[in-house]
Each structure stands twice: as C-alpha cells, then as structure tokens.
Amino acid sequence: MKRLTITQWCQKRIREMVESPEFCIDATAGTGRDTVFLCSLLRHGGRVLAMDVQEQALEQTRERLKKVSCEEQVQLVLDGHQHMDRYCDEESADLIMFNLGYLPGGDHNMATTADTTLEALDKSLRILKEGGLVSLMIYSGGDTGFEEKNAVMAWLKELDSHRYTVLVEDFYNKPNHPPLPVFIWKR
C-alpha cells in the first residue's frame, strides 16, 4: 500500500463508502480541495454546494474549480455552515464534508467554533439522505480547536445508535495533535 496523507486516506475511505452521489455539500470550502474531490465523485448531472464564511476561501475554491473545469457543477455560497439548510432541502444530500479549523494560510482567528459547528452538524443530519455519509476532519489546537473537538466528540457520543453509525479514526502515533477523521452513516 502506498503511503497516503491523512487527507488522501479520508478521501480513499469516502470513495469506498459513497458511490456516484447526486448532491454533496462541502460545508467548509477552504481552498477548494474537498470541493474538487466531491466533483470527482458526482454522477452525471450531480452538483455540489460549497460554503465558507470567507470570500478569500471562495475565491481560492473558484480558481481551483476553473483549473479542472467543474465550476458549472458547484454553487459557491458565502455563509456559515450552520446555515446550510437555507440552500438545500431535508434528506437531499448524499455526502456532507466538514474540515474544521481555519483556512490554510489564512487568519487563525477565523476558525470554526463549537457553537456553529454543532448547529451545522444537527442540520446536516436532517439534510442527509438515508444511507448518506457525513465526513468530519477535526483539526484541534489553537485557541478554540480543543474546545470544538471536545464538543463535537460529546455530540457524536449522544447520536442514536439505531439511526447512525459513527466511526472515529485516530492517527495514534502521529505527533502534534493530528486531524481526527470521523464518519457518520445515516441508516
């Protein structure tokens, strides 16, 4: 097996779990890498909703989409992930991705927070189709990262095990608080 980065590992897992989605949400567009990844998974005619609170992030995403000619498949929205329900219907998404933390290379003070993330996660479960997947990449550290991680982990623990399966993968021997991949399946 070739050596994979943590992000590549998560993408590999998602490819194994989700086949030809029709509608995906990138709840934290960032630099657009996940948005492009989601476009690569879509069935013909599928679409992606990509959200971020920073115009800089959406510009980077837009540029990345142009390079791979998939900007027509994506709706870019300048808004927080806690408002995703304004842009899609309940039980409409096959896959929702979150990358928690801050924009790579951006202002560390502009990071996701426990309050908005928990609200977004609650809404994501209503937006997710039966059999759909929520993917979380939890980056901890910084001023609010550990607080957000702890709040999300407590929230995950309380999910109804009859409706959801939660898988938490830990890169156990990596130093400096590596990102924590989490997958939630809706039964």
Side-chain angles (χ1 to χ4, degrees):
M1 177 183 203
K2 77 175 194 173
R3 182 172 167 81
L4 300 173
T5 66
I6 294 173
T7 301
Q8 291 169 328
W9 173 258
C10 291
Q11 289 178 355
K12 179 181 183 311
R13 300 286 279 159
I14 291 167
R15 277 190 188 96
E16 293 168 351
M17 295 182 257
V18 178
E19 291 184 30
S20 301
E22 185 176 353
F23 176 54
C24 300
I25 300 173
D26 184 350
T28 50
T31 64
R33 291 183 192 276
D34 286 340
T35 307
V36 169
F37 168 70
L38 292 173
C39 288
S40 76
L41 297 176
L42 291 175
R43 71 178 62 167
H44 181 72
R47 61 188 184 92
V48 174
L49 170 67
M51 307 181 68
D52 208 289
V53 295
Q54 296 180 71
E55 184 61 46
Q56 174 189 1
L58 293 181
E59 282 303 317
Q60 289 180 31
T61 300
R62 187 175 289 111
E63 289 305 311
R64 194 173 298 274
L65 290 167
K66 284 180 186 175
K67 288 179 184 175
V68 295
S69 301
C70 53
E71 61 266 46
E72 295 298 319
Q73 297 169 282
V74 180
Q75 176 187 359
L76 296 174
V77 174
L78 181 63
D79 203 349
H81 56 202
Q82 72 274 22
H83 301 297
M84 68 175 69
D85 59 329
R86 295 177 181 172
Y87 307 97
C88 54
D89 297 326
E90 287 193 11
E91 297 186 8
S92 63
D94 299 290
L95 172 60
I96 303 172
M97 289 185 77
F98 290 83
N99 252 320
L100 304 181
Y102 54 85
L103 177 66
D107 181 356
H108 290 210
N109 294 316
M110 293 286 298
T112 56
T113 64
D115 291 342
T116 59
T117 296
L118 292 177
E119 184 178 348
L121 287 170
D122 281 334
K123 290 178 179 181
S124 72
L125 295 182
R126 291 193 298 273
I127 292 168
L128 196 65
K129 290 179 182 177
E130 294 292 324
L133 179 72
V134 172
S135 166
L136 290 155
M137 181 75 82
I138 304 173
Y139 290 86
S140 54
D143 295 332
T144 62
F146 291 113
E147 175 188 325
E148 182 179 35
K149 177 183 176 181
N150 293 338
V152 169
M153 296 305 287
W155 179 86
L156 291 166
K157 191 79 166 163
E158 297 300 317
L159 288 179
D160 180 352
S161 63
H162 297 291
R163 295 202 62 216
Y164 304 99
T165 298
V166 178
L167 174 64
V168 178
E169 296 186 342
D170 191 354
F171 290 85
Y172 203 63
N173 66 338
K174 293 271 186 197
N176 302 323
H177 312 287
L180 186 66
V182 176
F183 303 98
I184 306 166
W185 290 277
K186 185 176 183 178
R187 297 186 194 174

